[in-house]
Amino acid sequence: EDQVTQSPEALRLQEGESSSLNCSYTVSGLRGLFWYRQDPGKGPEFLFTLYSAGEEKEKERLKATLTKKESFLHITAPKPEDSATYLCAVPRGDDKIIFGKGTRLHILP
Amino acid sequence: DAGVTQSPTHLIKTRGQQVTLRCSPKSGHDTVSWYQQALGQGPQFIFQYYEEEERQRGNFPDRFSGHQFPNYSSELNVNALWLGDSALYLCASSLRWGEQFFGPGTRLTVL
């Protein structure tokens, strides 16, 4: 069964303390992997699409990387405004997209 | 560009009632997908509409139905509501296959 698993479920960091979030997937014929940020009570905000192993993309303090079995979202010197739930998702079949449960990130000032 | 818009923002219904949620896609997007997100969970795919037809469906009962209009806007209908339908309902728009952009969601509470 196709699955997307994110770890850890929750992460508390001090401001400036870098870390990584993990997204592992079991989807045959990967056609891309998406990262989203979601603030409480709001819709997910698109961050990145990664298409092939070895690909990396950056945006401000975030960098996403992709291997054949997992993706990492690296957060460098985070600030309190980076606190959110980070979701990864992979397409399955022609149209379905499967989301992980997310990692709740809390950055302490 | 207003992005993806959804209405209403919040909704309270009682068990057995029916509800209609609405979505307007981002300008230039022709595909609309609907998701249900329970508290603490990732979004669960309900179905996707393209060219006014349902193209894919997740594991949701027939009580969940939808429609897409010629202007690409979409509706999600849920009949015979029960307590477990309480969730944040998200609409996402995209081109035929590509990055999906989400609306702010509709918070549905079933009492």
Side-chain angles (χ1 to χ4, degrees):
Chain A
E1 181 183 345
D2 296 334
Q3 283 192 340
V4 177
T5 304
Q6 293 188 246
S7 62
E9 290 186 9
L11 183 61
R12 293 168 69 90
L13 299 171
Q14 290 294 135
E15 183 174 0
E17 181 184 0
S18 302
S19 188
S20 296
L21 313 182
N22 177 264
C23 172
S24 62
Y25 57 89
T26 55
V27 175
S28 58
L30 185 72
R31 294 187 293 130
L33 183 143
F34 307 122
W35 279 99
Y36 288 86
R37 168 193 170 128
Q38 186 174 28
D39 292 303
K42 297 187 177 181
E45 173 191 347
F46 172 77
L47 293 173
F48 305 109
T49 303
L50 301 167
Y51 289 104
S52 57
E55 187 175 2
E56 298 183 354
K57 287 192 176 175
E58 291 189 58
K59 179 180 181 179
E60 296 182 357
R61 294 176 291 281
L62 301 176
K63 183 170 78 173
T65 61
L66 181 66
T67 72
K68 288 185 178 181
K69 290 296 182 184
E70 58 191 348
S71 178
F72 293 93
L73 184 65
H74 307 278
I75 302 177
T76 302
K79 299 181 178 180
E81 53 262 42
D82 295 322
S83 297
T85 296
Y86 291 85
L87 298 162
C88 75
V90 298
R92 189 188 81 182
D94 287 336
D95 303 302
K96 289 184 185 180
I97 292 184
I98 305 172
F99 278 83
K101 292 184 177 181
T103 293
R104 296 187 309 278
L105 178 64
H106 186 53
I107 309 299
L108 302 169
Chain B
D1 180 9
V4 180
T5 60
Q6 292 185 244
S7 64
T9 304
H10 295 90
L11 204 52
I12 300 175
K13 292 286 188 178
T14 57
R15 282 175 293 176
Q17 285 189 310
Q18 177 265 342
V19 67
T20 297
L21 311 182
R22 296 176 176 82
C23 172
S24 291
K26 185 178 170 67
S27 178
H29 285 179
D30 57 8
T31 302
V32 173
S33 303
W34 287 93
Y35 293 84
Q36 181 193 68
Q37 187 176 25
L39 206 60
Q41 302 293 315
Q44 297 292 311
F45 177 79
I46 302 175
F47 41 53
Q48 182 180 87
Y49 277 85
Y50 172 68
E51 292 187 339
E52 301 179 48
E53 291 189 8
E54 183 181 298
R55 296 291 175 166
Q56 278 280 350
R57 189 179 185 91
N59 295 326
F60 282 82
D62 292 344
R63 298 187 297 109
F64 290 76
S65 63
H67 188 78
Q68 185 179 35
F69 300 93
N71 66 354
Y72 307 124
S73 67
S74 178
E75 289 182 349
L76 164 66
N77 301 292
V78 186
N79 296 321
L81 287 167
W82 67 295
L83 298 179
D85 295 329
S86 295
L88 181 68
Y89 287 85
L90 296 164
C91 166
S93 76
S94 63
L95 295 175
R96 182 65 182 96
W97 188 89
E99 295 93 352
Q100 295 191 348
F101 292 84
F102 284 82
T106 294
R107 171 68 64 187
L108 173 64
T109 302
V110 182
L111 302 177

